[in-house]
Amino acid sequence: MNVEDIKFKPLEAKDIEEYKPFYGLRDNKTCDSVPIESFIWKDYYQVQVAVVQKDGTDVGIIWQMCDEGKYYSAMPICATEHLKYCFELSVEYFNKILKVPYRISLADEEAVRELKLESDKRFKVKEQEELKDYLYDGDAMRSLAGKKLHKKKNHYNKFIKEYEGRYIYRELVCSDRDDVFRMLAKWRDDKGDEVEEHLDPEVMGVHEILKNCRALDITMGGVYVDDVLEAFTVGSYNKREDMAVIHIEKANANINGIYQFINKTFLCEEFPTAKLINREDDLGIEGLRRAKESYMPIGYARKYLVEQNL
């Protein structure tokens, strides 16, 4: 494929079905290993996608994004045997068409290793420590058993006891979007003005998910207390890694134990056998770091910044 023939277009829900076959073709434990993650942030980062061909056959997708006026990319989504080809084509596009150095943010560790980028003199590679994803044992997260998770189990039990007969968990569907919109608006208002900069783009992303949920391969769950939605979560599944990815989890912080309840129940009901649970990164935010570490991760999906030397 000639680099001049690459045609990028904005990421849209109607095209997700076309891109799905390229996912799960190689090892990748990051949250970016499933389609919904890029969709959540598509407007904020001006995400564009192009299908790459080799010998007339579609073999993967490559990315073009823009943040604060700077072009960058994500690691190509394709099979391992096509990774080098898709990567080099993407580099060439940035250099020849955009006329800028190639730059990848959030490159997964497996791809960096497969492409031998740390020994490639063309690139600088640096771990993005604060953006690593937290990985958990699925059985542990569903049971909350053992001394290490004893406090989580106590909070879970307190919620059940205090709200007995007043709560219900159920899977959410597209027609529940108005309930989610109302709960999300209240959650955002409660945060006030002094909040992390990622919150508003994230709220916008959730709105996009709900508006297009019939076209997206997602699973949603919610907890109603006194017939009012007080917590919801959005997840998806990486079959190759047998991994559930928790993209969004919001709850009324004034209800004791509801976060622990929806966390555990969502996994038990919607991902009852998933071996791994990916709860994404902490964005370098101390409160999020403490919360994610408190669930005792068994590992991390590390990510890297790759910058071309030009």
Side-chain angles (χ1 to χ4, degrees), residues 1-2 5-6 22 51-61 78-89:
M1 185 176 190
N2 294 321
D5 296 326
I6 295 175
F22 303 117
V51 176
V52 170
Q53 291 190 334
K54 186 177 184 182
D55 300 325
T57 301
D58 295 344
V59 295
I61 56 176
C78 59
T80 302
E81 59 265 31
H82 297 130
L83 183 58
K84 181 72 171 175
Y85 173 78
C86 292
F87 177 84
E88 294 296 346
L89 205 57

Side-chain angles (χ1 to χ4, degrees), residues 2-270:
N2 294 321
V3 69
E4 292 82 6
D5 296 326
I6 295 175
K7 303 298 181 186
F8 279 97
K9 63 179 182 179
L11 178 60
E12 297 184 59
K14 64 182 179 62
D15 298 319
I16 293 291
E17 200 65 34
E18 176 188 357
Y19 305 142
K20 278 182 188 177
F22 303 117
Y23 283 83
L25 298 180
R26 64 177 181 84
D27 295 343
N28 183 355
K29 292 182 175 63
T30 71
C31 59
D32 300 297
S33 64
V34 290
I36 191 63
E37 185 64 21
S38 298
F39 186 81
I40 293 173
W41 301 97
K42 68 181 182 66
D43 294 328
Y44 187 69
Y45 291 116
Q46 303 171 49
V47 178
Q48 297 197 57
V49 191
V51 176
V52 170
Q53 291 190 334
K54 186 177 184 182
D55 300 325
T57 301
D58 295 344
V59 295
I61 56 176
I62 60 175
W63 307 89
Q64 177 186 309
M65 304 167 188
C66 190
D67 184 23
E68 297 182 348
K70 287 187 177 181
Y71 286 111
Y72 70 101
S73 184
M75 193 60 74
I77 303 296
C78 59
T80 302
E81 59 265 31
H82 297 130
L83 183 58
K84 181 72 171 175
Y85 173 78
C86 292
F87 177 84
E88 294 296 346
L89 205 57
S90 189
V91 173
E92 186 180 2
Y93 182 89
F94 269 60
N95 293 171
K96 288 188 176 181
I97 306 302
L98 298 180
K99 301 186 185 305
V100 295
Y102 191 57
R103 180 173 179 260
I104 287 183
S105 182
L106 309 180
D108 61 280
E109 187 172 13
E110 290 85 355
V112 169
R113 187 185 305 118
E114 176 67 27
L115 293 167
K116 300 179 173 61
L117 293 180
E118 290 184 301
S119 60
D120 191 326
K121 303 279 189 214
R122 295 177 297 164
F123 301 98
K124 292 180 293 186
V125 178
K126 180 182 179 182
E127 183 178 353
Q128 295 173 288
E129 173 68 23
E130 73 282 4
L131 298 178
K132 65 182 183 295
D133 289 345
Y134 289 73
L135 303 177
Y136 305 86
D137 177 81
D139 288 338
M141 293 291 279
R142 285 184 291 267
S143 68
L144 297 181
K147 185 181 295 186
K148 291 182 178 180
L149 294 173
H150 183 66
K151 288 184 179 179
K152 302 295 183 186
K153 189 66 171 287
N154 280 346
H155 285 298
Y156 169 85
N157 288 333
K158 283 179 181 178
F159 172 81
I160 291 177
K161 183 177 181 180
E162 183 173 350
Y163 293 92
E164 183 178 4
R166 297 171 56 193
Y167 73 87
I168 184 173
Y169 168 88
R170 67 174 175 84
E171 183 179 4
L172 298 178
V173 295
C174 296
S175 58
D176 294 313
R177 65 169 62 91
D178 287 344
D179 286 350
V180 179
F181 286 151
R182 281 191 290 269
M183 189 245 148
L184 191 61
K186 184 178 184 307
W187 175 87
R188 180 60 185 85
D189 286 344
D190 288 345
K191 289 288 184 179
D193 294 329
E194 299 299 322
V195 297
E196 301 89 353
E197 61 179 301
H198 75 284
L199 287 185
D200 287 329
E202 184 182 44
V203 168
M204 290 169 55
V206 175
H207 275 253
E208 284 298 305
I209 290 173
L210 293 166
K211 290 174 185 175
N212 297 280
C213 71
R214 287 185 175 85
L216 303 175
D217 189 15
I218 58 172
T219 302
M220 301 186 292
V223 178
Y224 287 80
V225 178
D226 297 332
D227 298 321
V228 175
L229 183 67
E230 297 288 7
F232 77 95
T233 187
V234 178
S236 55
Y237 183 66
N238 178 329
K239 183 178 180 180
R240 184 185 183 96
E241 302 287 358
D242 193 10
M243 179 177 77
V245 183
I246 309 303
H247 303 285
I248 304 290
E249 186 179 79
K250 305 299 181 194
N252 182 344
N254 295 317
I255 298 179
N256 186 29
I258 196 168
Y259 268 109
Q260 290 77 17
F261 179 81
I262 194 168
N263 183 330
K264 179 182 185 301
T265 307
F266 181 65
L267 295 175
C268 289
E269 295 293 327
E270 316 305 340

